[in-house]
Amino acid sequence: MRIRSVKEWNGNGRPLIIAGPCAAESREQLSSTAQAIASIDKNIIFRAGIWKPRTRPGSFQGIGGEALPWLKEIEEKIGLRVCTEVANREQVEACLAAGITTLWVGARTTVNPFYVEEIAQAVKGKNVRILIKNPIHPDLNAWIGSIERFYQAGIEYLVAIHRGFHPLPASKYRNYPNWAIPIELKHHYPDLPIITDPSHITGNRQMIEKVCQDAMDMHMDGLMIETHINPELALSDKEQQITPAELQQILLHLEIHRDSTLPPQNLENLRLEIDQIDYQLLKLLKKRMDCAKQIGKIKMDNDLALFQPERWNKLLAERQLWAEELGIRDAFTSDLFKTIHAESIALQKKLWRE
Ligand code: PEP
Ligand code: MN
């Protein structure tokens, strides 16, 4: 058993593109959107939510099972593979009964292992394809856990969808992209296709093109883009949906990097330099840790508390000043020294317990 590649998904290995409305609203809305998308590229997978997870009651909750035959019609008459969101066993069974076999698990479902397990059991051993959105919170383990549950249920066609994370207070994004998380996922599962959903990351159609390009620059394997025949009339996620014509323009302008197997010489030289710098950094960190251990012993002998808030505040403020002089970002400096300081305290604590 093995995870299938993008090439096995779409036959050409180019970025895997999924497009279609946030929600199925009518048979006409689905078929006109699908026709316009099919005329761009028949390899695009068509998406539409049928059961919509909404934050507040009273908003449009989706058409429900009635829309399943409309979706199937798109596969049969227009020739696009279709996918929809499922959140429980009943919905999986309704999709399978209607012949819909590409299913995605939403961000609000991935957070809960009970739901994921129920869905994984419902598709176990079946010939289905599963896409798993990241959980709302930046919890890589919950995302990995969900992927593993489907893999263990025998699903080989798996895709992770990076749709961003609960936003930081002052963020311009609807969901903060936090690229470090999909990058870390790629590190764990080099064969797993990961695609980005710029619609839910941005929440705003003006920013979609930029995030699509960011995804390509970050080596993501494809995109899921909410596309509606008439976004102004959309019943959900109106601000972030684009027209098929806009989708075509975005795809046309997308710069897809051909990663040559032989990197240019100047890149190799710079990488070598970075390797040397990193080794020096680690050696210095080791030296710093040895100092911290000696300090730990002195604190122990003199009955001083492990954590000295005054010293820590002074230390951090000083480094922030140095960083500013050097042109290093303040947020990076604080994160870095918080991590270094936490390790010092952990080492000292260990020494006290020995
Ligand atoms: C969706 O894709 O329409 C959706 C509800 O997404 P998410 O689970 O990422 O919020
Ligand atoms: Mn949506």
Side-chain angles (χ1 to χ4, degrees), residues 22 52 200 226 237 240:
C22 175
K52 294 306 298 173
H200 289 87
E226 284 190 341
D237 284 353
Q240 70 189 35

Side-chain angles (χ1 to χ4, degrees), residues 2-18 41 43-45 81 129-131 156-161 186 189-196 216 219-223 256:
R2 66 182 174 84
I3 295 179
R4 301 301 179 134
S5 65
V6 169
K7 188 153 190 202
E8 286 166 295
W9 272 84
N10 66 7
N12 60 24
R14 285 177 56 79
L16 184 69
I17 307 297
I18 302 179
D41 180 353
N43 281 311
I44 295 176
I45 298 175
R81 176 184 291 280
R129 299 182 174 202
I130 302 284
L131 305 107
E156 293 191 331
Y157 279 91
L158 287 172
V159 160
I161 306 178
K186 218 172 226 317
Y189 289 103
D191 298 334
L192 176 73
I194 308 178
I195 70 172
T196 292
M216 295 299 104
H219 221 293
M220 296 296 128
D221 301 290
L223 300 162
I256 300 159

Side-chain angles (χ1 to χ4, degrees), residues 275-333:
D275 289 348
Q276 284 162 0
I277 294 171
D278 286 352
Y279 185 64
Q280 295 302 327
L281 277 176
L282 281 172
K283 272 195 5 194
L284 283 173
L285 281 172
K286 171 75 174 80
K287 208 163 158 186
R288 192 187 193 283
M289 286 171 195
D290 291 341
C291 269
K293 282 189 206 160
Q294 289 180 43
I295 292 176
K297 172 130 192 359
I298 298 171
K299 282 180 185 164
M300 184 164 60
D301 293 346
N302 292 279
D303 196 21
L304 295 170
L306 256 187
F307 177 54
Q308 301 280 336
E310 242 174 71
R311 163 69 182 154
W312 164 240
N313 292 343
K314 186 163 167 283
L315 181 155
L316 186 61
E318 203 168 48
R319 273 115 194 100
Q320 283 170 319
L321 219 64
W322 296 341
E324 197 187 334
E325 279 170 24
L326 292 166
I328 298 175
R329 273 195 321 124
D330 186 57
F332 168 76
T333 311

Side-chain angles (χ1 to χ4, degrees), residues 1 17 21 52 123 130 149 210 228 317:
M1 201 181 141
I17 307 297
K52 294 306 298 173
V123 297
I130 302 284
R149 281 177 205 273
K210 156 135 187 353
H228 191 291

Side-chain angles (χ1 to χ4, degrees), residues 34-53:
Q35 250 150 14
I37 289 174
S39 70
I40 301 172
D41 180 353
K42 283 252 182 190
N43 281 311
I44 295 176
I45 298 175
F46 185 76
R47 63 149 281 154
I50 280 178
W51 299 281
K52 294 306 298 173

Side-chain angles (χ1 to χ4, degrees), residues 30-79:
L30 282 189
S31 78
S32 54
T33 311
Q35 250 150 14
I37 289 174
S39 70
I40 301 172
D41 180 353
K42 283 252 182 190
N43 281 311
I44 295 176
I45 298 175
F46 185 76
R47 63 149 281 154
I50 280 178
W51 299 281
K52 294 306 298 173
R54 304 309 301 278
T55 308
R56 306 279 298 272
S59 22
F60 175 59
Q61 302 287 320
I63 295 270
E66 194 192 332
L68 285 168
W70 305 342
L71 264 188
K72 189 63 194 168
E73 207 169 60
I74 288 166
E75 219 161 56
E76 285 168 348
K77 298 206 175 129
I78 303 179

